[in-house]
Amino acid sequence: MPVCFFDKKHNTSYKCEYEIRKECIEVTVDYDIDDERENNNGIISIPSDIEFKERDIFIVDYDNKKNYLLKKAYYCGYSSTWGTPDGGAKTKFKSQIYFSHGDRSKLCDLPPNPKVKKIKVFSKAINDLIGCPSLDLKKDEDNLIISLSKKDHSKVVLINEHNIKSISISDDWKSVNSIKNHNINIDFNGFIELELTKRVNYDDVFDFVYELIIFMQLYRPDKFVINRIHVMVEDVYYELALHPIEIETRDKRVDVSVEDNLLDFLKRCYTVIPYRKSKSEIRNIPYIVLKTSRGLEDNFLMFYRFIECYYKKQPISGIRKSFVSYSIKEYNLKNGELSDEEIEKYSQEIISLRNRYVHSGYYIKNSSLRVSFEKVGNRKNPKDYTVNNVDSKWIYDRAIMLYKIVIDIIFKKMLGYEEYDFKRHF
């Protein structure tokens, strides 16, 4: 049965059981947490709002040869049974972040607040892009020679910005062989490794991984599933489990969005759209390319807000009032055949719909929307009109127009790619 220790107090162990879930690790310890409550002359007070301190919990599972160090584990339940041979108290804890290592002494060596120098993110999607650099196949009429190398085959690009010193890509492998059963299984995992200029706290690793996911989503959408994460602390690699970031994957073939290789693309992303160090429109990118809202109206407003935020920061005369029509004209130069009248019409419909949502809510009575132009003096503009067929298709047509403009801004305006093919729908 596994045993655990609290906060590096390795002289006191407790029997425990644990379960690893997608979102956390949960451990139930043979421990009476009532001992931590206030004791007044033998009377334990139990206030309704009691909170127990978070703690590190070190789990040693001898049978399965597993060792885990839970960080900031929090109390989430208590039970007790008395009067039976197996009676006693049990306390349950959970943690969303934990380290693991095959050598338990390495976990014992970790300081209370580990500082991370390198972050290695493993994903099968990397092998789809770079193949298996550690594998060499030689075949002739009589032989097939399979060579597996542990030599470092990494390709590296220097960044030296935003606390990213360099990025490298390569692969790792492990082999489980059974000569008796005539089975040879080789498991390849490609990885991207971030070397940091300055070490960061272990609980900041999530921000770096999330940023990488955003960039990989831009490069080859809906394919980057993380298998595991390793971090280097004091020249030792540990596996680090974080609260997962799930993307909706697609089984069908998905090509890369641009012709650049992965390292060159990542270098450009880390240089010009550094998510962790940015504000405004860059911070909105994940809501565009990762997981958009299920509501058409919410998506419409997000796309509108993104375009507004981007163009209002540009040094263009008069852009603050006309960013919608300006963005449609820019996109239309290379991607469409809209006339000036049509551009004006779509612009005012989009602005009127946005104002209707913001000031009056999503419900549109009788599917009727008043489209207003700028006043002529103190009078209504004679161009004003009413749209009487504002259904989901009408709204979708304008939302998809904004979405295409947003994607164009990201790849052309921000990243500088004149040619791209981002195959993802909101």
Side-chain angles (χ1 to χ4, degrees):
M1 187 177 190
V3 297
C4 66
F5 310 84
F6 292 162
D7 294 324
K8 285 187 172 291
K9 298 175 181 178
H10 295 155
N11 293 327
T12 304
S13 65
Y14 306 93
K15 292 181 180 180
C16 65
E17 296 177 344
Y18 67 93
E19 180 181 359
I20 297 177
R21 299 179 177 176
K22 185 178 293 186
E23 71 282 358
C24 69
I25 185 169
E26 182 178 284
V27 56
T28 302
V29 187
D30 288 359
Y31 174 73
D32 191 347
I33 204 164
D34 275 345
D35 293 341
E36 298 181 15
R37 301 183 194 270
E38 184 179 351
N39 189 319
N40 186 11
N41 296 324
I43 300 175
I44 298 175
S45 61
I46 309 178
S48 59
D49 60 345
I50 188 171
E51 293 184 6
F52 296 101
K53 68 174 184 178
E54 295 179 336
R55 65 202 71 199
D56 291 353
I57 301 179
F58 183 25
I59 300 175
V60 180
D61 186 349
Y62 295 100
D63 294 337
N64 295 305
K65 298 179 181 179
K66 301 287 186 180
N67 308 292
Y68 303 97
L69 178 60
L70 284 58
K71 301 297 292 184
K72 298 180 180 179
Y74 56 90
Y75 166 79
C76 64
Y78 170 82
S79 64
S80 60
T81 305
W82 305 105
T84 62
D86 59 346
K90 295 181 182 292
T91 303
K92 186 179 294 185
F93 300 92
K94 287 183 181 180
S95 177
Q96 272 80 39
I97 183 168
Y98 56 94
F99 291 87
S100 60
H101 198 287
D103 183 350
R104 69 174 184 269
S105 66
K106 298 295 184 184
L107 290 175
C108 293
D109 292 340
L110 275 173
N113 187 27
K115 300 284 188 178
V116 173
K117 177 64 175 177
K118 294 182 179 181
I119 304 168
K120 186 181 289 188
V121 181
F122 290 86
S123 173
K124 298 288 188 183
I126 304 302
N127 295 109
D128 295 339
L129 296 169
I130 68 170
C132 301
S134 59
L135 171 65
D136 183 34
L137 293 177
K138 293 182 179 179
K139 185 178 181 180
D140 58 32
E141 294 182 358
D142 300 316
N143 300 289
L144 172 62
I145 301 175
I146 302 174
S147 299
L148 299 172
S149 174
K150 285 293 186 183
K151 182 181 176 182
D152 185 6
H153 295 85
S154 297
K155 293 183 178 180
V156 184
V157 63
L158 296 178
I159 305 295
N160 288 324
E161 291 191 52
H162 311 297
N163 203 25
I164 303 290
K165 181 179 181 180
S166 65
I167 308 172
S168 59
I169 57 173
S170 190
D171 72 332
D172 197 2
W173 58 271
K174 63 179 180 180
S175 177
V176 180
N177 304 326
S178 176
I179 304 301
K180 182 178 180 180
N181 295 323
H182 311 290
N183 290 327
I184 299 178
N185 295 314
I186 304 170
D187 184 28
F188 292 94
N189 264 297
F191 64 79
I192 298 173
E193 183 167 58
L194 309 176
E195 182 177 3
L196 309 183
T197 306
K198 183 181 179 180
R199 296 184 305 164
V200 298
N201 293 339
Y202 72 95
D203 50 0
D204 290 330
V205 169
F206 176 89
D207 296 332
F208 288 84
V209 175
Y210 187 54
E211 182 178 48
L212 178 61
I213 289 173
I214 296 167
F215 298 159
M216 291 301 296
Q217 184 74 353
L218 287 169
Y219 190 68
R220 190 166 179 252
D222 303 330
K223 286 293 184 180
F224 188 61
V225 177
I226 295 175
N227 300 115
R228 65 183 187 275
I229 298 168
H230 288 181
V231 295
M232 178 184 281
V233 179
E234 302 294 342
D235 297 325
V236 177
Y237 280 103
Y238 299 85
E239 185 167 350
L240 178 65
L242 300 168
H243 184 68
I245 307 164
E246 295 186 357
I247 63 172
E248 296 179 4
T249 59
R250 288 185 282 177
D251 293 332
K252 67 179 183 179
R253 176 184 172 88
V254 179
D255 293 326
V256 296
S257 302
V258 297
E259 291 186 358
D260 268 359
N261 65 53
L262 177 58
L263 278 180
D264 288 342
F265 179 80
L266 289 176
K267 181 174 183 177
R268 190 176 299 202
C269 288
Y270 279 106
T271 302
V272 300
I273 54 168
Y275 177 79
R276 287 174 295 109
K277 298 296 182 180
S278 297
K279 298 178 181 179
S280 62
E281 74 277 1
I282 292 178
R283 298 292 294 185
N284 287 329
I285 289 178
Y287 303 108
I288 305 295
V289 302
L290 273 177
K291 191 172 184 179
T292 51
S293 171
R294 295 181 64 182
L296 178 59
E297 296 86 356
D298 289 333
N299 284 322
F300 174 88
L301 289 176
M302 170 55 69
F303 305 151
Y304 186 100
R305 183 164 58 248
F306 185 98
I307 295 168
E308 179 182 26
C309 190
Y310 174 78
Y311 275 104
K312 283 189 174 181
K313 291 177 64 178
Q314 305 308 308
I316 303 171
S317 177
I319 192 64
R320 294 187 65 84
K321 289 186 65 176
S322 60
F323 67 89
V324 175
S325 60
Y326 188 92
S327 66
I328 296 176
K329 286 178 183 177
E330 285 244 296
Y331 182 79
N332 188 59
L333 284 175
K334 292 185 178 180
N335 300 280
E337 299 274 339
L338 295 178
S339 66
D340 289 344
E341 291 76 13
E342 288 173 315
I343 290 174
E344 184 182 36
K345 170 180 173 291
Y346 278 116
S347 299
Q348 290 308 126
E349 288 177 353
I350 287 169
I351 292 170
S352 297
L353 182 61
R354 178 264 180 191
N355 292 339
R356 177 68 176 77
Y357 284 160
V358 170
H359 299 299
S360 303
Y362 291 162
Y363 175 68
I364 299 177
K365 187 177 180 180
N366 298 325
S367 300
S368 180
L369 176 69
R370 183 70 174 170
V371 178
S372 301
F373 290 76
E374 191 170 345
K375 288 184 177 181
V376 180
N378 293 324
R379 294 177 298 173
K380 290 184 178 181
N381 195 313
K383 292 182 179 180
D384 291 357
Y385 64 93
T386 299
V387 180
N388 293 311
N389 62 330
V390 182
D391 55 12
S392 58
K393 182 182 184 308
W394 190 93
I395 299 169
Y396 175 82
D397 289 342
R398 282 133 191 89
I400 195 67
M401 178 182 289
L402 295 182
Y403 178 71
K404 290 177 179 179
I405 292 171
V406 167
I407 298 301
D408 209 54
I409 289 172
I410 293 172
F411 279 93
K412 287 187 178 180
K413 303 292 186 182
M414 294 181 176
L415 291 173
Y417 290 105
E418 283 301 317
E419 301 294 332
Y420 68 91
D421 188 12
F422 181 70
K423 291 187 173 69
R424 188 178 193 271
H425 209 290
F426 71 87

